[in-house]
Amino acid sequence: MGVGRFCVQRRRRTGTIAAVSALGLVATLGGCGLTGGSGEVTLRLVAADYGDSEANSSQKYWDKLVEAYEEEHAGVHVDVTVYSWNDVDAKVKEMVDAGKAPDMAQIGAYADYAARDLLYEADDLLSIPVQADLVAQLADAGQVNGVQYGIPFASSTRLLFYNKTLFQKAGLTAPTTWRELAADAAALEAEGVKYPYALPLGPEEAQAETMQWLLSGGGGYTDAELGTYSIDSTENVATFNWLKNNLVGKGLTGPVAPGRLNRAEAFSAFAAGDVGMLNGHPSLMQMAAKKGVKFGMVPMPGREGPTKVSMGVADWMTAFKQNGHAEQVGDFLDFVYDKENVLDFSREYDLLPVTNSASTVMSGAPQDADLKPFLEQLSLSELYPVGRTSWAAVSAGVKKRIGGAVASGGSPSAILGQLQSTASRAESAE
């Protein structure tokens, strides 16, 4: 057993270094100090940008957090580079492929790197109190074959947003079933609403809209009992047949074909007052409020009533083994996941916290009342099967093809069957 590995394990058992560091004291533990005799250490972190302008760029969040950390940890420096979500995963892949992996990467997936044995296990990094504070459902989703490599960093769920002004004008109430949703969409269309129900199945984030509808129809990407992909299940085919026949086929999804409508465009249209209903995550609240749109939020309607299982999404913090800075990385991550830091990030970007301590605070704080409906959905949510290396291929296939399932002349059963074949091939290649 190497010295570094011994230090990590000892730190996990005691959980003391983070507590000592928080008091601003020298953190040394039986020769495993962060700075004692080892010289200057610079950690490199690549992170995604959650801001929508330069004013609230995630770079500003990280700069402030790193400054506070470095004030208490002489000799340890953290260099953070922030990229847009369009670029961050590709940038990290380029770095890894070039043999220059960052110490940490806050990105959208982790399974492929874990399968290549490039990542530290969460057990090697986080102190016991911090790891125990992670929301269990999210931490479990960060596992590959029962071992956690992905540390949840941010999360969100989805609710059905509706434009209160348009609904009031049409004399409508928020739908609870598919039948009511279709009837409301027809009434909105009769009032001249541009997008009665916005259905973004374009390549940007089609996998999200698809999953929410599959769940509302009693299906999903995988079989809960068997754990295998079930994309072309009877329930899923029935869901997309309903969408095709009752919404898209009747002209209730707006002037842009669902397969060409991206989430960002749908959100912008809602903020402009042109959308009656759509699935949205917490950031849409701020967008709509800035434009003066009065909106309501309810659980996604299902066949017979509100959907019992919502879609949850998590983004991930990962740590690469290449540079061998497990001790320093672990101590920094303990700081990142401190309750106050998690609260600051969640409130800045209207996201759900990934720790129990921060979730408890937000559930009862008046300033977080708008997020409470999303928090309530989190415990009932299902996440993408991100622990499978096959998910990348499946997600890409959904983005490329699913719009064709509801297009004129398209066949839901054929498209879902093709996606099931993609999943099966990807699983076989693992």
Side-chain angles (χ1 to χ4, degrees):
M1 178 181 292
V3 174
R5 176 71 176 179
F6 174 79
C7 294
V8 171
Q9 290 183 332
R10 183 172 182 182
R11 175 174 173 272
R12 284 238 340 120
R13 287 198 297 271
T14 62
T16 58
I17 284 184
V20 173
S21 299
L23 296 174
L25 304 177
V26 177
T28 58
L29 182 61
C32 297
L34 294 180
T35 60
S38 60
E40 301 283 315
V41 173
T42 297
L43 302 177
R44 292 185 301 151
L45 165 63
V46 176
D49 194 354
Y50 290 84
D52 56 13
S53 67
E54 185 177 345
N56 71 341
S57 166
S58 292
Q59 188 71 57
K60 291 189 174 182
Y61 169 83
W62 284 111
D63 288 347
K64 180 181 177 181
L65 185 142
V66 166
E67 181 180 4
Y69 179 79
E70 290 180 348
E71 284 180 358
E72 298 180 354
H73 299 79
V76 179
H77 307 283
V78 185
D79 180 15
V80 183
T81 304
V82 172
Y83 293 102
S84 75
W85 271 111
N86 291 332
D87 301 322
V88 66
D89 288 294
K91 290 289 186 180
V92 171
K93 184 178 185 301
E94 288 175 7
M95 296 170 72
V96 173
D97 290 347
K100 299 178 179 180
D103 295 283
M104 295 164 282
Q106 186 268 297
I107 49 181
Y110 62 86
D112 183 58
Y113 298 127
R116 293 157 61 188
D117 195 29
L118 300 178
L119 302 179
Y120 283 114
E121 299 175 16
D123 283 354
D124 292 340
L125 302 170
L126 302 179
S127 65
I128 291 173
V130 171
Q131 196 168 6
D133 194 30
L134 295 173
V135 174
Q137 182 180 12
L138 301 177
D140 289 346
Q143 296 181 357
V144 175
N145 296 325
V147 178
Q148 185 182 356
Y149 296 94
I151 305 170
F153 180 75
S155 66
S156 69
T157 53
R158 301 295 169 98
L159 291 171
L160 182 75
F161 281 68
Y162 65 96
N163 184 309
K164 284 187 173 181
T165 302
L166 297 178
F167 265 62
Q168 184 176 10
K169 183 180 178 182
L172 304 174
T173 57
T176 61
T177 67
W178 287 0
R179 184 188 298 273
E180 292 174 359
L181 186 150
D184 287 351
L188 292 167
E189 195 271 339
E191 292 285 337
V193 175
K194 190 173 183 180
Y195 293 90
Y197 178 87
L199 183 66
L201 295 178
E204 179 191 5
E205 204 183 34
Q207 81 281 6
E209 183 74 12
T210 297
M211 183 170 177
Q212 184 60 75
W213 276 99
L214 296 183
L215 292 172
S216 71
Y221 285 122
T222 58
D223 184 289
E225 294 183 1
L226 299 177
T228 56
Y229 283 105
S230 56
I231 300 174
D232 61 349
S233 68
T234 301
E235 293 85 357
N236 291 345
V237 172
T239 293
F240 267 83
N241 275 326
W242 188 91
L243 275 173
K244 183 176 187 293
N245 296 330
N246 294 277
L247 287 184
V248 182
K250 293 184 178 180
L252 303 179
T253 55
V256 179
R260 295 201 303 271
L261 181 65
N262 284 323
R263 176 192 57 80
E265 297 163 353
F267 277 23
S268 294
F270 186 84
D274 293 331
V275 175
M277 298 172 282
L278 84 169
N279 283 314
H281 52 63
S283 67
L284 182 56
M285 294 190 298
Q286 192 174 94
M287 288 182 61
K290 284 181 179 178
K291 297 289 187 177
V293 173
K294 296 180 180 180
F295 60 89
M297 302 177 297
V298 295
M300 176 66 182
R303 285 189 179 277
E304 306 298 334
T307 301
K308 295 180 180 180
V309 181
S310 176
M311 187 191 75
V313 176
D315 301 324
W316 306 96
M317 178 69 74
T318 60
F320 288 88
K321 295 192 292 186
Q322 179 178 326
N323 301 315
H325 294 145
E327 187 71 16
Q328 293 88 351
V329 168
D331 189 71
F332 177 66
L333 291 181
D334 276 359
F335 186 80
V336 169
Y337 286 92
D338 173 80
K339 180 178 69 177
E340 294 303 321
N341 292 332
V342 173
L343 283 170
D344 286 347
F345 180 85
S346 301
R347 286 167 171 166
E348 175 66 28
Y349 300 107
D350 284 332
L351 290 165
L352 304 184
V354 297
T355 62
N356 294 308
S357 57
S359 296
T360 299
V361 172
M362 292 187 77
S363 294
Q367 72 185 92
D368 301 313
D370 287 347
L371 283 172
K372 190 172 182 179
F374 294 95
L375 276 169
E376 291 172 346
Q377 289 289 309
L378 187 58
S379 63
L380 305 173
S381 66
E382 182 176 317
L383 279 71
Y384 300 131
V386 289
R388 300 168 181 262
T389 57
S390 57
W391 171 242
V394 175
S395 177
V398 172
K399 292 178 181 182
K400 180 179 180 180
R401 297 177 178 173
I402 197 64
V406 295
S408 176
S411 168
S413 61
I415 296 295
L416 293 176
Q418 292 169 12
L419 292 172
Q420 178 65 31
S421 296
T422 296
S424 298
R425 288 194 299 271
E427 284 278 91
S428 298
E430 285 191 358

